[in-house]
Amino acid sequence: YDDQIHELLNDFSDEHTRVIIIGNQPAFWKRVSSNQKNELLLVLNEIMVNMKKHSGASNVVVEFRQDANTGFIHYRDDGRGFPREFEYGNGLKNTVSRIKSLNGESNFGKTELGGATITIKFPLESDNL
């Protein structure tokens, strides 16, 4: 599954935008259910589409990590960030809804330099050992 995510994220890389992927390893996805994988794929696609349309970012970092029974996906870029009077469009409303359907949480913010940050937190399944 990590290959599918890697391919999706790298599809948004071009001569103007560099996408750096950290922690997208088979071990991360081992405790993520099939349903969660499907929803997270759609969420990541929506985030990346929004980045391409609106951010003007040159550098994007997507980091995957686990802490005990929680999975985290942290997105950050060096683009324009979210406007002060930011309102979710349909795509981001769907993204937030998908994350909530996984009993997860999302947080949209700005980096120190004004780019966008998005943190997704969701429960992991018990070890499938």
Side-chain angles (χ1 to χ4, degrees):
Y1 193 75
D2 55 302
D3 289 339
Q4 191 174 352
I5 294 296
H6 189 81
E7 189 175 315
L8 167 77
L9 296 175
N10 272 332
D11 280 349
F12 289 91
S13 207
D14 60 25
E15 66 274 4
H16 304 290
T17 306
R18 181 172 67 152
V19 178
I20 300 163
I21 305 165
I22 301 169
N24 179 36
Q25 302 295 322
F28 176 86
W29 296 104
K30 185 176 181 181
R31 294 180 56 202
V32 179
S33 73
S34 295
N35 180 53
Q36 287 175 317
K37 287 176 184 175
N38 293 335
E39 294 297 323
L40 290 169
L41 181 72
L42 294 169
V43 164
L44 287 168
N45 186 65
E46 183 61 38
I47 289 170
M48 298 303 285
V49 165
N50 274 303
M51 176 275 297
K52 269 297 188 209
K53 282 185 182 176
H54 305 294
S55 83
S58 299
N59 296 290
V60 174
V61 177
V62 183
E63 181 179 1
F64 300 82
R65 68 179 181 83
Q66 295 178 2
D67 182 18
N69 293 317
T70 305
F72 296 90
I73 299 174
H74 187 71
Y75 166 96
R76 63 188 177 274
D77 71 33
D78 62 358
R80 289 189 266 289
F82 298 106
R84 190 179 307 265
E85 291 83 32
F86 175 69
E87 290 186 27
Y88 295 108
N90 284 337
L92 287 182
K93 284 180 185 174
N94 289 340
T95 295
V96 170
S97 177
R98 287 182 192 285
I99 295 165
K100 285 182 179 176
S101 78
L102 303 174
N103 294 318
E105 302 171 15
S106 57
N107 186 2
F108 293 74
K110 282 191 171 194
T111 67
E112 304 79 42
L113 300 175
T117 65
I118 303 169
T119 301
I120 300 166
K121 177 180 167 182
F122 60 97
L124 296 169
E125 289 195 331
S126 302
D127 281 302
N128 295 333
L129 299 175

